[in-house]
């Protein structure tokens, strides 16, 4: 909507109408985003990507970078939570059975939020590594290590 060439009163009315339209779009979009955020991270990412790709009004555009960043942080936090739960479950299992398991199967551990599948486990000389496919804020893979005894 162009406001150029309109009288002052008409320009103010047009600006108010445009702002109201943007506010309604913003409100509807925030409901969509809130609904997506209520889902597990991988599912929410699949719902949010098309929303972020839409051409949106300038008022909403100002907030999208923050929403994208918040969702990325949420994914990392979910991966870190899953990794800590996996470490605790493996250590508890080792106390009960004397050794670390080769998999998380049968343990109550959340999935890797970046894949929806199980976190990965690898035994090394130094100990056991539990990995998420996600990346930390500095771009490194999210890894938890249990030192060998």
């Amino acid at each position: 909507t162009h406001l150029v060439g309109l009288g002052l009163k008409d320009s103010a009315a047009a600006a108010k109408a445009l702002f109201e339209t943007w506010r309604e779009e913003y409100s509807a979009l925030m409901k969509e985003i809130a609904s997506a955020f209520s889902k597990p991270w991988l599912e929410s990412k699949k719902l949010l990507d098309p929303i972020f790709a839409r051409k949106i009004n300038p008022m909403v555009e100002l907030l999208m970078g923050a929403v994208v960043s918040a969702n990325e942080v949420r994914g990392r936090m979910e991966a870190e939570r899953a990794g800590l739960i996996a470490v605790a479950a493996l250590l508890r299992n080792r106390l009960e059975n004397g050794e670390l398991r080769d998999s998380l199967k049968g343990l109550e551990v959340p999935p890797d939020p970046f894949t929806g599948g199980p976190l990965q486990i690898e035994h090394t000389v130094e100990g056991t590594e539990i990995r998420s496919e996600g990346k930390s804020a500095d771009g490194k893979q999210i890894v938890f290590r249990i030192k060998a005894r």
Side-chain angles (χ1 to χ4, degrees), residues 111-128:
D112 183 341
F114 290 92
T115 65
L119 295 166
Q120 302 302 308
I121 294 181
E122 181 181 351
H123 295 290
T124 66
V125 176
E126 292 96 23
T128 301

Side-chain angles (χ1 to χ4, degrees), residues 55-125:
K55 177 142 179 63
I56 49 181
N57 73 56
M59 191 166 98
V60 174
E61 186 94 16
L62 292 171
L63 300 172
M64 291 312 267
V67 172
V68 170
S69 293
N71 197 47
E72 289 171 2
V73 169
R74 178 179 170 230
R76 288 194 298 269
M77 289 175 62
E78 285 187 21
E80 290 173 2
R81 177 182 169 272
L84 290 171
I85 291 171
V87 167
L90 285 172
L91 291 174
R92 184 180 61 236
N93 188 270
R94 180 171 73 184
L95 284 172
E96 294 169 357
N97 300 310
E99 64 184 23
L100 284 174
R101 299 169 58 134
D102 290 333
S103 84
L104 296 170
K105 202 173 215 170
L107 298 177
E108 291 185 35
V109 175
D112 183 341
F114 290 92
T115 65
L119 295 166
Q120 302 302 308
I121 294 181
E122 181 181 351
H123 295 290
T124 66
V125 176

Side-chain angles (χ1 to χ4, degrees), residues 1-98:
T1 304
H2 286 313
L3 304 179
V4 178
L6 296 175
L8 185 58
K9 189 174 182 181
D10 290 339
S11 292
K16 184 177 179 182
L18 179 61
F19 181 78
E20 184 59 27
T21 299
W22 287 354
R23 190 191 64 70
E24 289 170 4
E25 289 174 359
Y26 167 81
S27 181
L29 189 64
M30 289 299 114
K31 286 178 184 173
E32 280 185 79
I33 290 170
S35 175
F37 271 8
S38 72
K39 310 279 191 264
W41 186 82
L42 186 62
E43 187 178 342
S44 77
K45 181 169 176 15
K46 289 176 184 175
L47 293 170
L48 290 170
D49 284 347
I51 293 171
F52 297 153
R54 281 190 224 154
K55 177 142 179 63
I56 49 181
N57 73 56
M59 191 166 98
V60 174
E61 186 94 16
L62 292 171
L63 300 172
M64 291 312 267
V67 172
V68 170
S69 293
N71 197 47
E72 289 171 2
V73 169
R74 178 179 170 230
R76 288 194 298 269
M77 289 175 62
E78 285 187 21
E80 290 173 2
R81 177 182 169 272
L84 290 171
I85 291 171
V87 167
L90 285 172
L91 291 174
R92 184 180 61 236
N93 188 270
R94 180 171 73 184
L95 284 172
E96 294 169 357
N97 300 310

